[in-house]
Amino acid sequence: IHFSGLTMGTTYSIKATPLEKNMDTQILKKGIDSVLFTLNKQMSTWDPSSEISLFNRTHSVESYAISESFRRVLKAALDVSEKTDGLFDITVFDLMKLWGFGPEPNSGIPNQKQVETVLSYTGYDKISVTEKTIIKNHPETKLDLNAIAKGYAVDEVFHFLQSKGFTDLFVEIGGEVQCAGRNQLNKYWSIGIENPSGGNKSNQNFAAIVYSDGGAVATSGNYRNFIELDGEILGHTINPKTGYPIRTNVLSVTVLSNSCMVADAWATALMVMDYETGLKKVTENPDIKAVWILDKKDGSRRVARSVGAKIDDSIYEIIR
């Protein structure tokens, strides 16, 4: 069975081995779409009537009631924020807007004063989450869940299919993946890590392949959307603590975990760090493993990985 479509401003693809011949897949498709529609109405900043958009527009610093799914994602995000000392941050809506990203992008390069103004109400300490509510600690703070919500949606669709009895399945939304069992050829699911454009071996689509019989894989890259700053071409990853695009030789990070929500958030967080710092963080965290694609000064690339991250067919030198 193969379903595909649009959700959360991107595409999704779902594959599963049918439980019986001549299954009525339309009922299954409606169930999947219902899960995705609900999550989109809660966490999409592109939908002006969504739960997150309504929260962003309020200037109240009183308790604000939220859905359980929204709260669960917020709690997970704040956990990663604490573990990364704020390098993962979901209060970056206006910071991304300032640099020309998101549903309401500014044009041009912001000046230092503009950046400092937005930073004054940015930071994971600017929100508090209770059992059923969220509180803004600054009236201007706005949320952006794009770095974690897709992963959560993958997990929710995956668990929905598991609840229906499926054991061999593959769920992908915008490149974030959760899978179990085997594919239709009775082989491990194969997930390609995209080869960033430019550099050597640019004719290769994939830098490496992850073969998985279960678990989640999420990748964050810094080679598609660009900003020109002082004559230098920089990727779109913004450091939430400095308010400026990062300067790094890390082209992409792929994170492996049991939870796609966790993998999604950590892939973004690790893109803000240099490789050595990121490797240390991953080594300290038993819930994740990671694969980095690094840009060397001579234009070539290399693939680095943490202990336990299994990849095959790397077209670059593998650094263990």
Side-chain angles (χ1 to χ4, degrees):
I1 303 170
H2 185 202
F3 299 123
S4 60
L6 300 173
T7 188
M8 293 185 160
T10 186
T11 60
Y12 73 83
S13 176
I14 298 165
K15 299 176 183 179
T17 301
L19 301 175
E20 57 190 47
K21 289 185 178 180
N22 304 316
M23 273 190 69
D24 185 351
T25 58
Q26 286 308 304
I27 294 177
L28 197 63
K29 177 75 161 56
K30 287 180 180 178
I32 292 167
D33 285 342
S34 176
V35 172
L36 292 173
F37 177 81
T38 299
L39 295 179
N40 208 62
K41 289 303 292 184
Q42 291 170 343
M43 303 181 212
S44 173
T45 53
W46 299 85
D47 181 349
S49 65
S50 69
E51 190 172 352
I52 190 172
S53 294
L54 295 176
F55 173 76
N56 282 348
R57 285 202 295 274
T58 181
H59 288 78
S60 172
V61 291
E62 302 297 322
S63 293
Y64 189 96
I66 55 175
S67 63
E68 175 56 25
S69 293
F70 198 172
R71 191 192 74 87
R72 199 175 298 140
V73 172
L74 291 177
K75 291 291 286 184
L78 292 177
D79 179 65
V80 178
S81 293
E82 289 176 5
K83 290 176 178 175
T84 60
D85 190 29
L87 288 178
F88 179 79
D89 198 327
I90 56 170
T91 68
V92 295
F93 182 92
D94 275 351
L95 199 55
M96 298 302 290
K97 173 183 176 179
L98 196 63
W99 286 97
F101 301 107
E104 305 168 9
N106 287 11
S107 60
I109 299 298
N111 58 44
Q112 179 68 25
K113 186 176 180 180
Q114 289 174 305
V115 172
E116 289 174 355
T117 297
V118 173
L119 285 180
S120 69
Y121 57 86
T122 299
Y124 73 98
D125 60 326
K126 300 296 190 296
I127 58 169
S128 304
V129 180
T130 68
E131 285 191 6
K132 294 184 178 180
T133 68
I134 180 174
I135 301 168
K136 287 187 182 186
N137 299 326
H138 191 293
E140 295 298 325
T141 301
K142 299 181 183 69
L143 302 180
D144 183 334
L145 297 176
N146 287 329
I148 190 170
K150 288 202 304 290
Y152 180 74
V154 168
D155 288 338
E156 288 297 285
V157 171
F158 181 83
H159 295 146
F160 168 76
L161 290 170
Q162 279 192 322
S163 74
K164 300 299 181 184
F166 289 92
T167 55
D168 299 304
L169 63 154
F170 178 99
V171 178
E172 176 263 334
I173 299 177
E176 323 298 14
V177 173
Q178 176 81 275
C179 61
R182 306 292 182 97
N183 63 20
Q184 69 271 29
L185 301 176
N186 199 33
K187 294 182 178 180
Y188 289 134
W189 297 103
S190 56
I191 301 144
I193 299 176
E194 185 176 353
N195 182 27
S197 57
N200 62 331
K201 303 185 180 178
S202 58
N203 61 324
Q204 300 280 346
N205 290 328
F206 300 112
I209 306 291
V210 177
Y211 292 105
S212 177
D213 63 345
V217 179
T219 297
S220 182
N222 204 34
Y223 51 89
R224 283 188 171 172
N225 298 319
F226 299 97
I227 299 164
E228 183 174 343
L229 183 62
D230 298 330
E232 184 179 359
I233 303 298
L234 300 173
H236 73 287
T237 302
I238 309 295
N239 184 324
K241 300 185 76 173
T242 67
Y244 281 85
I246 59 169
R247 289 174 166 86
T248 180
N249 68 333
V250 177
L251 294 174
S252 78
V253 184
T254 298
V255 175
L256 293 76
S257 178
N258 289 327
S259 160
C260 197
M261 175 174 65
V262 170
D264 195 7
W266 272 100
T268 300
L270 292 170
M271 273 305 306
V272 184
M273 307 176 200
D274 58 50
Y275 162 63
E276 289 76 14
T277 303
L279 179 61
K280 185 174 183 294
K281 288 289 183 184
V282 172
T283 304
E284 293 170 353
N285 190 335
D287 295 329
I288 57 173
K289 301 176 181 67
V291 178
W292 292 259
I293 299 179
L294 307 174
D295 193 14
K296 298 171 74 175
K297 291 181 179 179
D298 62 2
S300 63
R301 275 86 182 271
R302 66 170 180 159
V303 174
R305 65 189 188 189
S306 65
V307 174
K310 297 179 181 178
I311 58 173
D312 289 313
D313 297 342
S314 172
I315 64 170
Y316 299 121
E317 172 192 11
I318 297 179
I319 308 300
R320 293 177 173 82

